[in-house]
Amino acid sequence: MDRKKEKIARFGIFTKGFVYCLIGALTLTAAISTRGKKTGTGGVLSTIVEQPFGQILLGITAAGLLGYVFWKFYQAIADPEEKGNDLNGLFTRAGYASSGVFYGFLAFTALKMLFFAEEGSGEDNQSFVVSLLSKPHGQILVGIFAVAFLGKAGYQIYIAYSGIFKNRVQAAELDNRVERIIINSGYVGYTARGIVVGIISYLIFHAAFTANSKSAGGTKDAFNFIQNEFGLFVLAVLAVGLFAFGFFLLVKARYRTINI
């Protein structure tokens, strides 16, 4: 049974890496030519289903996302990595659970597209912000939502520059050159992801202050903001960074130690 859990976890991590590689590749193509399109995790699903054998590919992706959801909730509940029940441990495990919820919604979107031929709604935050703004103290609730994204962005940067991600890479005892490439991919990838999530946080904060849900958005909106404010070159750099993050996850799926 433990071996099955490990395979599910590795398949889930691999699928997440594949999704981020596709996001990076599509966005980089959009930055350097007119043939690509900026997209987020949800928009990737529509791209997958448009390919030859797209339904099969989407089904495999949905299964992988469900595997990732299982792994995140298993980490949060069973605590196989022994994060503990102190404040820091509970915060880390809550992060696992929140990641499981996000990718659970993404897996649900993939399944709807697969079985009901519905268009992917993307991972746009606008509908959720609309719901929050309609409630009492809605702007405060949206602000809290933005703080959660800001915390996630900060954690990505912390992972990059504290170097904590390197431990599992080094434990795999890879060739020095290969190890260096993977670690550099981790630095670049986590930094790029932190920046993009930070911009999403800014957009949600703006929605909270203006009570305008149209200001909020997901990864695609963050890319549009980057292009408008900083230009195509910066967009291309971040796209490469997200591709590097996906590559890092693909390697991580193969070599990281999975505690069950």
Side-chain angles (χ1 to χ4, degrees):
M1 183 62 183
D2 286 350
R3 182 63 176 166
K4 289 182 179 179
K5 291 177 183 176
E6 180 183 338
K7 288 182 177 179
I8 291 171
R10 293 191 189 281
F11 182 38
I13 297 168
F14 181 90
T15 303
K16 181 181 176 181
F18 166 72
V19 167
Y20 270 95
C21 282
L22 199 50
I23 290 172
L26 290 171
T27 304
L28 179 61
T29 304
I32 62 179
S33 74
T34 59
R35 291 177 296 174
K37 60 180 180 179
K38 298 185 290 293
T39 189
T41 49
V44 162
L45 301 179
S46 296
T47 301
I48 291 172
V49 80
E50 292 167 1
Q51 306 309 307
F53 306 104
Q55 292 288 89
I56 295 173
L57 289 172
L58 184 62
I60 294 171
T61 302
L65 290 171
L66 289 173
Y68 189 76
V69 171
F70 164 80
W71 173 238
K72 289 290 105 177
F73 279 113
Y74 184 80
Q75 283 182 301
I77 297 169
D79 193 22
E81 297 177 348
E82 299 181 349
K83 298 298 182 182
N85 295 316
D86 59 9
L87 184 61
N88 186 56
L90 290 174
F91 180 79
T92 301
R93 292 166 68 183
Y96 293 151
S98 65
S99 184
V101 170
F102 174 81
Y103 285 97
F105 279 119
L106 190 61
F108 179 67
T109 300
L111 291 172
K112 285 198 301 182
M113 293 174 65
L114 187 64
F115 292 107
F116 302 105
E118 293 189 16
E119 290 295 325
S121 58
E123 29 72 89
D124 193 343
N125 296 307
Q126 286 185 12
S127 59
F128 187 62
V129 171
V130 168
S131 176
L132 290 179
L133 285 174
S134 67
K135 301 182 185 302
H137 310 295
Q139 286 178 269
I140 295 175
L141 294 175
V142 174
I144 293 172
F145 186 46
V147 168
F149 269 87
L150 185 61
K152 182 177 181 180
Y155 186 62
Q156 298 301 302
I157 300 297
Y158 169 75
I159 290 176
Y161 292 98
S162 67
I164 59 175
F165 73 91
K166 294 192 297 183
N167 295 334
R168 294 187 185 279
V169 176
Q170 292 166 339
E173 298 182 350
L174 303 171
D175 175 81
N176 288 338
R177 182 170 175 274
V178 174
E179 181 181 292
R180 187 165 58 254
I181 291 172
I182 295 170
I183 288 176
N184 288 337
S185 297
Y187 278 128
V188 173
Y190 277 112
T191 301
R193 190 167 184 240
I195 291 171
V196 172
V197 175
I199 292 172
I200 293 172
S201 173
Y202 166 79
L203 295 175
I204 299 173
F205 270 122
H206 191 265
F209 288 132
T210 61
N212 181 5
S213 62
K214 292 182 180 179
S215 298
T219 304
K220 181 179 178 180
D221 300 278
F223 287 149
N224 287 330
F225 178 87
I226 292 164
Q227 178 177 334
N228 293 335
E229 296 295 326
F230 304 104
L232 288 173
F233 177 75
V234 174
L235 177 64
V237 170
L238 285 175
V240 171
L242 290 182
F243 185 89
F245 181 70
F247 172 75
F248 175 77
L249 290 176
L250 295 179
V251 177
K252 181 179 177 180
R254 170 64 179 86
Y255 290 107
R256 73 158 284 178
T257 302
I258 302 291
N259 296 317
I260 300 296

